Amino acid sequence: MRLLAVEDEPDLAEAIGACLRQAGHAVDLALRLDDAEAAAAGTDYDLILLDLHLPDGEGLDFLRRLRAGGRRVPVLIVTARDRITERIAGLEAGADDYLVKPYDLDEMRARILAIHRRATGTVEVERRFGRLCLLPERRQVLLDGAPVHLTLREWALIERLSRRPGITVTRAQMEETLYGFGDEIESNAIEAHVSRLRAKLGRGAIVTQRGFGYRMGEVA
């Protein structure tokens, strides 16, 4: 997933970013509300982690503006404010969940996945493409029943393609899935990932739509 973490404590922001990148997500960090506003305006995020007390404003105001503008991106509030009235206010403003500091990073990751499942209506269902089988919840790929080792970015790419197998995903959309702001992206990075995936999974796993992008195929 492509995530935005809005957190004004630099050390915590970096810890969140490192944890989520290790789980295979692309993560952008915003230390201020105006940075978060700019990022959200230009990027279609799968989820936003939102601190409430920021140097230049209140996170709840940002959330209310998102919802007033029709943005349904899932939001997980992460804050030290733990009073029941504050939790209710966050949920009524449009948050999907509320996590109180200090919290365990593994719990944060689990809540993100749970919110994403609710938002997309997905459950643990295998995705089959001929001899190829994807198990999204386990982040596992099987070829003829045998597990195939993928790097985090290889997994993120094949998972993105397999979500909507009949739909072509553009190169720009793939880059947005795999990389955050500031990441260096080599000109042939997507092609290199696709090539390695085909070598591991079979050439039919990914179909090139010339001039458009790529879509999920089947391994005969």
Side-chain angles (χ1 to χ4, degrees):
M1 288 184 281
R2 181 71 179 270
L3 308 175
L4 173 63
V6 187
E7 170 57 61
D8 69 330
E9 298 179 36
D11 290 344
L12 179 55
E14 289 299 329
I16 290 171
C19 174
L20 294 175
R21 291 183 187 109
Q22 189 176 36
H25 305 297
V27 185
D28 297 326
L29 302 178
L31 301 179
R32 295 172 53 85
L33 204 55
D34 54 2
D35 294 332
E37 299 264 17
T43 304
D44 188 15
Y45 288 104
D46 294 296
L47 183 140
I48 296 175
L49 291 93
L50 180 63
D51 191 8
L52 294 184
H53 184 65
L54 297 159
D56 55 341
E58 284 292 316
L60 278 188
D61 293 333
F62 169 61
L63 175 55
R64 292 187 182 105
R65 286 193 291 273
L66 283 176
R67 298 303 186 232
R71 298 285 300 278
R72 301 312 306 164
V73 54
V75 173
L76 170 59
I77 289 178
V78 285
T79 178
R81 299 178 184 176
D82 62 351
R83 289 187 298 182
I84 293 297
T85 54
E86 292 168 326
R87 297 186 190 204
I88 292 172
L91 295 170
E92 288 183 340
D96 295 83
D97 202 352
Y98 197 104
L99 187 58
V100 177
K101 298 177 182 177
Y103 55 85
D104 184 86
L105 291 175
D106 287 336
E107 181 185 0
M108 175 196 69
R109 286 195 302 188
R111 285 177 182 261
I112 287 171
L113 291 176
I115 292 169
H116 183 65
R117 284 196 299 270
R118 291 198 300 269
T120 58
T122 58
V123 294
E124 172 65 46
V125 177
E126 64 181 33
R127 304 173 189 172
R128 285 202 168 271
F129 304 93
R131 294 159 49 217
L132 189 66
C133 177
L134 276 74
L135 302 171
E137 288 298 308
R138 305 180 205 176
R139 289 218 318 261
Q140 191 174 38
V141 177
L142 306 176
L143 182 61
D144 293 328
V148 180
H149 174 73
L150 301 182
T151 67
L152 290 176
R153 282 181 172 160
E154 287 168 357
W155 164 256
L157 193 151
I158 201 72
E159 195 280 330
R160 175 71 172 81
L161 291 172
S162 69
R163 273 185 232 163
R164 302 175 68 191
I167 304 299
T168 298
V169 181
T170 67
R171 175 178 170 155
Q173 289 171 328
M174 286 185 171
E175 289 179 347
E176 206 169 79
T177 297
L178 300 184
Y179 302 99
F181 291 138
D183 289 344
E184 292 187 13
I185 308 174
E186 295 183 8
S187 59
N188 67 337
I190 298 301
E191 289 80 1
H193 288 309
V194 168
S195 178
R196 285 193 289 271
L197 280 167
R198 284 172 171 161
K200 293 179 178 182
L201 306 177
R203 292 202 59 80
I206 299 176
V207 178
T208 300
Q209 299 290 112
R210 295 198 180 277
F212 293 96
Y214 302 91
R215 65 174 173 80
M216 197 70 194
E218 288 203 2
V219 179

